[in-house]
Amino acid sequence: MTIEVRAAGVNPFDTKVYSGAFGTDPANLPISLGVEVAGVVSAVGEDATGPAGPLNVGDEVVARTSGGYATAVTVKAGVVVPKPVEVSWEVASGLLAAGRTAVHALTLLDLKEGQTLVVHGASGAVGILAVQLAVAAGVEVIGTAGDARHELLRRHGAVPVAYGDGLLGRLREAAPSGVDGVFDVAGTDEAIDASLELVSAPAQIVSAVAFGRADAGIRLIGGLGGDPGTEIRDEAWRTLLPLAAQGRLELPIGRTFPLSEAAAAHELVASGHPGGKVVLLP
């Protein structure tokens, strides 16, 4: 089936694909960028059916794809789900990749109401979604972020803590009763070392980025060599999209760019301070 792209999410993964972070085998060329889009179905094959049911021309949808930096993409129906009308194109195009990672991590940690979670890198797209989902489940959340992002964390129910020298002490002060789990999307040695001091077992730390610390016994998800969590991630849309439609899950949009300025979008994402999700608008 074919989708006319109205918005394409930009992810750190996109920049890593061509950076050599995942290898430099020439056989992988050419490289197609863009793994998530939102748009309108413009053509369907016979009996096109996605996870939510039949798909038809004119449907507003969200899809996982390869080569999403385009005005139109052709994908298999099995990766296409309906976009709620209440969710903007920008949010719809950027919610699922980040949200799937957040849902995966929280599912593995399986924290209960009243327990305490630390989220490192809490103000980024993945982190802020994890914060909101955990708070909604009754979990006490402490989020590490730069000072400029602390008000965002407070607004979503988390206790903000600045990263940098003295991080461990500040986290202990914020969690006097201890920490039950850690979700890391910062990937720094500082974050992992502090976390190992806070939890009773390394397996209580789940990271989507600290692949260089696998020897510490933490649980790694996604990427190359991490737990793929395929079943969890494939079903995450059923939680994420309805919550966004109900206004109970916010994905901050840092900036939008026209498709012709994809390079500038990547520069912003690579800076580590995009201020929210970056989206391309064809």
Side-chain angles (χ1 to χ4, degrees), residues 242-258:
L243 287 175
Q246 295 160 17
R248 297 165 57 196
L249 186 66
E250 175 188 341
L251 176 68
I253 301 299
R255 187 171 170 187
T256 62
F257 290 83

Side-chain angles (χ1 to χ4, degrees), residues 10 12 16 29 36 49 51 54 72 100 128-129 135-136 141-142 160 165 176 206 211 227 229-230 261 265:
V10 178
K16 293 177 181 178
L29 299 173
E36 55 179 343
T49 302
R100 282 156 51 97
I128 200 63
L129 293 175
V135 168
V141 180
I142 299 166
D165 291 344
V206 173
F211 286 87
D227 172 17
T230 303
E261 296 181 16

